[in-house]
Amino acid sequence: MSINVLIVDDSLSACRVLSRHFLLLDVDKVEFCRDARSAIRTLSKYKDDYQIVVVDLHMPEVDGIEFLMRLSKMDFKGGIIIASAMESRIVEAASQLVEASKLRLLGALMKPVTTEQLRVCVERYRLMAFQGNGVSQKGQMSIDEIRRAINSNKVIPYYQAQVDISSGQIKGFEVLCRLQQGTRLQLITPDKFIEVAESNNALNSLTTKLLNSAIPEWALISQFDSCQQCRLSINLTPKQLNQSGWHTRLMQYCEQNLLSPSRLTVEITENQVLDKQRQHSSISQLRMNRIGVAIDDFGTGYTNLSQLCTLPISELKLDRSLVHGIHKDPVSQTILRSMQAIGSKLGIHLVAEGVEDIHDLNYLEQIEDISLQGYLICRPKPYSELVRWLKARERLLQA
């Protein structure tokens, strides 16, 4: 695989240092531009010749933010690395801009940048390019493809553990949806089908099919010693909450599989405002039936502190944007401490999502009464792999 890198930085010394780092990483070619205008002209003609673009944020005339916006309009297909000496909140804001656009973020790095940090970014690009040859990195699935997957039992549950690091106990698992297209082994992640399914009234069928597989598997997972008190979390959208009957349906699943409703949690995504009476009623009905209710991706959507005080939720999941870089971000640390205090008074348990950095993990290990979820804790796994992971974990704890 050919990898050519373009560095965009007004500092000649920074360009030279970054070039030396990249040349240690077995890339094919490294070039640099000293200003964004030159880089835009180069990429306008030869954008397909570069697989990775590294950009500084603080540059004269056209800054890094404006450059990224123009790069998005050019439909650049490669990977982006932000490398900046600006404060972490600005770098994080720029990374969110990239993720919200058509661009693909490989890393948001604070200068001085190390060879190892760039190595991780290059490996992310290689993985991204590899997946681009399979199903998961294609554009959105069509509704016909989604319905074929549903009707042919190609809806696959994946499970990701939530762990209390201070005690080492598994607190629960979130069930995640994957779709298999035809006979291909590469499974498709929700970002490629959820919006299409919801806009075409197929989300209930998709959720039902997922639960038909996940709940019986969960009954077997629960037999492990380390999982006997764990909870299973499933996802429902506000639109689904606006429909009647979901609490009854979930109670039936529990009854059929001899599971206590108190060990089931419904995660509500924050992509819409929770302000309709039907939605509030559904949340109350779930809680009256001892089913937990979590606000997912808190910090990115519409839920406010007033709603936390009035809605009978049991769990709050802090979005990865609040967790990423928390070890060096006093603002995120203050938000976490504040939410922990509020949660303690309201009886709301906190879960930190997207734990992927060892330094963030080390910081979060010092926090009491919080569960962690992310790739450093446990990657999402299908049932068979999860069973192997649990067996290996139990052997390790017994050793």
Side-chain angles (χ1 to χ4, degrees):
M1 178 192 300
S2 176
I3 298 181
N4 298 326
V5 179
L6 179 65
I7 300 168
V8 187
D9 196 313
D10 62 321
S11 168
L12 179 59
S13 61
C15 290
R16 287 174 172 169
V17 169
L18 288 169
S19 296
R20 286 198 292 270
H21 285 317
F22 275 112
L23 291 174
L24 295 173
L25 299 177
D26 197 28
V27 302
D28 296 275
K29 182 171 66 174
V30 182
E31 297 178 353
F32 55 81
C33 292
R34 298 282 304 283
D35 63 89
R37 293 189 190 279
S38 299
I40 291 168
R41 287 194 296 270
T42 298
L43 291 168
S44 296
K45 294 181 180 179
Y46 309 110
K47 66 178 181 180
D48 294 334
D49 292 348
Y50 297 95
Q51 286 68 50
I52 296 176
V53 171
V54 184
V55 57
D56 186 22
L57 295 181
H58 186 62
M59 293 185 290
E61 297 185 13
V62 177
D63 60 35
I65 300 292
E66 177 65 23
F67 172 75
L68 289 169
M69 294 174 65
R70 296 193 189 184
L71 203 58
S72 176
K73 292 178 181 178
M74 291 166 55
D75 198 26
F76 178 66
K77 299 297 186 184
I80 300 295
I81 300 173
I82 298 172
S84 176
M86 302 293 290
E87 64 173 282
S88 61
R89 299 298 293 179
I90 297 176
V91 175
E92 179 62 26
S95 68
Q96 291 180 17
L97 170 68
V98 173
E99 291 178 335
S101 69
K102 298 177 181 178
L103 300 172
R104 297 173 175 178
L105 182 67
L106 301 177
L109 311 178
M110 302 292 294
K111 291 181 177 177
V113 175
T114 66
T115 303
E116 188 57 36
Q117 287 175 313
L118 294 177
R119 185 190 310 278
V120 172
C121 293
V122 171
E123 288 305 314
R124 283 176 181 162
Y125 173 77
R126 289 194 170 102
L127 178 61
M128 180 184 74
F130 171 77
Q131 291 176 333
N133 295 324
V135 179
S136 66
Q137 293 298 318
K138 288 172 59 178
Q140 295 289 306
M141 292 181 72
S142 71
I143 186 58
D144 288 339
E145 291 172 326
I146 294 171
R147 285 178 175 144
R148 278 198 294 271
I150 294 172
N151 295 331
S152 57
N153 295 318
K154 301 291 187 179
V155 181
I156 313 297
Y158 268 51
Y159 305 88
Q160 188 172 33
Q162 302 167 354
V163 175
D164 182 336
I165 293 298
S166 61
S167 67
Q169 292 182 338
I170 302 173
K171 305 298 289 186
F173 295 88
E174 179 182 359
V175 61
L176 304 165
C177 186
R178 301 288 187 267
L179 295 186
Q180 184 178 11
Q181 192 172 45
T183 59
R184 300 189 184 189
L185 296 179
Q186 187 90 40
L187 297 181
I188 304 174
T189 52
D191 58 306
K192 303 299 180 184
F193 59 78
I194 286 294
E195 289 184 7
V196 176
E198 185 168 22
S199 61
N200 288 274
N201 298 315
L203 198 52
N204 279 349
S205 298
L206 188 63
T207 303
T208 299
K209 185 68 73 170
L210 179 68
L211 292 177
N212 283 339
S213 297
I215 297 295
E217 290 180 351
W218 173 241
L220 298 174
I221 294 168
S222 298
Q223 295 176 14
F224 281 84
D225 291 341
S226 58
C227 300
Q228 290 182 1
Q229 302 302 318
C230 291
R231 305 178 68 92
L232 181 69
S233 299
I234 66 168
N235 291 278
L236 293 181
T237 68
K239 186 175 181 180
Q240 288 176 298
L241 273 185
N242 206 33
Q243 305 159 1
S244 61
W246 264 106
H247 68 284
T248 302
R249 202 176 312 180
L250 292 174
M251 291 296 293
Q252 290 173 345
Y253 277 115
C254 291
E255 184 178 347
Q256 292 166 1
N257 292 277
L258 302 178
L259 291 175
S260 170
S262 63
R263 296 182 57 207
L264 190 64
T265 295
V266 172
E267 295 189 11
I268 305 167
T269 52
E270 269 208 299
N271 62 339
Q272 301 166 27
V273 183
L274 289 171
D275 62 355
K276 293 183 172 59
Q277 183 178 0
R278 176 70 258 172
Q279 294 168 337
H280 287 206
S281 298
S282 294
I283 292 173
S284 297
Q285 288 172 315
L286 289 168
R287 297 296 289 127
M288 285 190 297
N289 284 286
R290 298 182 296 140
I291 296 173
V293 174
I295 299 296
D296 195 15
D297 300 332
F298 181 79
T300 63
Y302 296 92
T303 306
N304 54 44
L305 292 179
S306 174
Q307 287 179 307
L308 292 184
C309 294
T310 56
L311 290 173
I313 66 170
S314 56
E315 189 174 287
L316 195 65
K317 302 191 72 176
L318 301 176
D319 185 70
R320 68 176 303 277
S321 62
L322 293 175
V323 175
H324 178 67
I326 195 171
H327 71 280
K328 59 183 179 182
D329 188 341
V331 176
S332 292
Q333 292 172 11
T334 301
I335 293 173
L336 172 60
R337 298 286 184 180
S338 299
M339 297 313 303
Q340 188 180 35
I342 293 171
S344 177
K345 287 187 177 297
L346 297 177
I348 299 174
H349 182 64
L350 292 188
V351 178
E353 293 188 282
V355 182
E356 301 172 356
D357 183 285
I358 187 63
H359 302 294
D360 294 334
L361 176 62
N362 291 338
Y363 174 82
L364 291 166
E365 284 177 336
Q366 306 169 43
I367 307 298
E368 295 180 355
D369 299 323
I370 186 172
S371 298
L372 307 184
Q373 179 178 344
Y375 277 23
L376 276 185
I377 309 301
C378 174
R379 288 177 175 268
K381 304 176 186 296
Y383 171 73
S384 58
E385 289 185 18
L386 181 66
V387 168
R388 286 197 292 271
W389 182 77
L390 288 169
K391 289 180 178 178
R393 193 174 188 275
E394 291 191 350
R395 286 197 300 270
L396 184 63
L397 292 175
Q398 293 169 2

